[in-house]
Amino acid sequence: MTELLLYLYAESPVHAGAADSLGVLDLPVQREATTRYPVIWGQSLKGALRQVAQDAGLEDLVVPVFGGSSEDGETELSAGRLTVGDAQLVAMPVPTLQRTFAWATSELALFRLVRKYARLGVTGLPQPPRLAPEAGAAASEAWIGSGRATRSEVLGPCLVELGIAPDPQLRRWAAQLATDVLGDAGSQASAPLAPLGGKLRDDLLAVGSDVMPMLLAECTEFVARVQLKEGKTVEHGPFHSEYLPTESILAASLTLRPMPAEGSLKTEDVIEFLLDLLHNKLIQVGGDETIGKGLVWARLLRADDVRAVAPEIADESTGVGQ
């Protein structure tokens, strides 16, 4: 088995739609039943990746890797060699009174990310910060109080205390995400998202288990739309759609089973195909493609691509001690 880690960074609002309406919301995004965290189910993400391969003209890759479809009536239905996990939320942008917005993450989101890295065989990552349910923590000095006075910050509809000093574990996570999600370090500095690395290192906040559900409910985007007919009069609507906001970060585990020894495609060749297809590439995920929604930057990482960011590097990046 070959384990891969796929990061998705929202270039435009993303609508991976749920099956049922929710109250006045006609088209909600997919959410986990127990935590209510937004998610892109593995079946939706696999379909999107399959479409990317088809659009790239990689027909020889589509069936063995993503599986056969019975839609054309000619291909035998099969699962394919690639298992695609759910894309779970890592961090979501929330409005603030300073610095426009910050990324909010949680202990749960980071614990899940630790497990995804463990599947890659990557060790040495920090544990997520432990927070009281109503509290928060910041990765940089920009969000904390001075001296012994703690500081409260408005995050979306919440007022959250962020402490008197940056959280060292969260600081390391901010540096790790800036490196792995945005590619702002070393030879990756030319990656499309690399210029955002400094902001992510400074503006990653962790919030407790009472705060995060409220942010995830109140800080997604709600859009009312109508369908017009000839004469520009309303034929259907209004109907309300929910979107994950631009700048959201998600991660999914991908597992590639070895390719059959008798086939022409080797496992190493498929990994290279997937990297060419997805790494630092803008792809389409979710609905409303014709109105510019669902564009995400993908980064596909192998175990050899990941290194735990050392504490001293995380500190240097945010100017600690300067």
Side-chain angles (χ1 to χ4, degrees):
M1 301 282 191
T2 302
E3 296 288 342
L4 302 164
L5 178 61
L6 177 67
Y7 275 112
L8 302 174
Y9 187 97
E11 173 71 14
S12 66
V14 178
H15 177 78
D20 300 319
S21 60
L22 183 65
V24 297
L25 191 57
D26 302 290
L27 301 169
V29 296
Q30 297 169 357
R31 289 180 183 270
E32 298 171 358
T34 51
T35 65
R36 307 305 297 162
Y37 275 43
V39 66
I40 300 175
W41 299 123
Q43 60 269 35
S44 301
L45 181 57
K46 187 173 183 180
L49 300 183
R50 191 178 199 278
Q51 187 62 50
V52 172
Q54 287 181 317
D55 293 344
L58 301 174
E59 295 297 336
D60 294 340
L61 184 70
V62 170
V63 174
V65 175
F66 297 100
S69 169
S70 61
E71 293 177 358
D72 57 9
E74 299 177 355
T75 307
E76 183 180 356
L77 192 62
S78 61
R81 293 276 166 178
L82 185 67
T83 299
V84 179
D86 299 336
Q88 296 175 318
L89 188 77
V90 175
M92 192 172 84
V94 296
T96 61
L97 291 183
Q98 64 164 348
R99 303 172 73 86
T100 309
F101 75 91
W103 284 274
T105 187
S106 69
E107 185 179 343
L108 174 63
L110 292 179
F111 266 130
R112 290 175 167 181
L113 199 52
V114 169
R115 298 201 292 267
K116 288 183 173 63
Y117 277 106
R119 292 178 62 167
L120 284 181
V122 175
T123 59
L125 294 171
Q127 290 298 306
R130 306 305 296 265
L131 299 170
E134 72 287 355
S140 76
E141 290 82 353
W143 298 91
I144 60 172
S146 57
R148 300 177 62 180
T150 188
R151 174 174 167 178
S152 297
E153 179 64 35
V154 173
L155 306 178
C158 304
L159 185 64
V160 182
E161 287 193 0
L162 297 177
I164 60 174
D167 185 283
Q169 293 165 299
L170 188 62
R171 183 193 297 276
R172 288 184 62 189
W173 271 112
Q176 190 76 46
L177 293 174
T179 300
D180 292 346
V181 181
L182 308 180
D184 78 333
S187 60
Q188 307 176 77
S190 61
L193 297 174
L196 281 171
K199 180 171 176 60
L200 181 55
R201 289 168 186 265
D202 286 344
D203 296 344
L204 181 67
L205 308 178
V207 296
S209 57
D210 284 355
V211 180
M212 193 65 173
M214 192 173 298
L215 297 181
L216 297 179
E218 299 294 332
C219 296
T220 54
E221 296 183 2
F222 298 86
V223 178
R225 297 169 55 198
V226 296
Q227 183 178 5
L228 301 179
K229 60 183 178 181
E230 191 174 353
K232 303 298 182 183
T233 57
V234 176
E235 184 172 16
H236 297 295
F239 54 91
H240 298 81
S241 299
E242 184 183 24
Y243 296 90
L244 267 178
T246 302
E247 322 295 346
S248 296
I249 300 171
L250 302 101
S253 292
L254 274 56
T255 303
L256 181 66
R257 287 183 290 142
M259 302 302 291
E262 65 275 14
S264 58
L265 271 176
K266 305 302 180 189
T267 302
E268 295 75 16
D269 297 333
V270 174
I271 293 172
E272 290 301 321
F273 279 135
L274 290 174
L275 288 169
D276 289 342
L277 196 66
L278 299 175
H279 192 61
N280 284 334
K281 298 295 174 59
L282 193 62
I283 66 173
Q284 174 71 38
V285 175
D288 295 336
E289 177 180 1
T290 59
I291 54 175
K293 311 300 186 187
L295 294 173
V296 297
W297 286 101
R299 280 179 62 84
L300 186 63
L301 304 178
R302 300 162 294 185
D304 291 343
D305 300 324
V306 179
R307 294 288 184 274
V309 175
E312 59 272 18
I313 295 177
D315 290 346
E316 288 172 1
S317 68
T318 50
V320 169
Q322 296 179 9

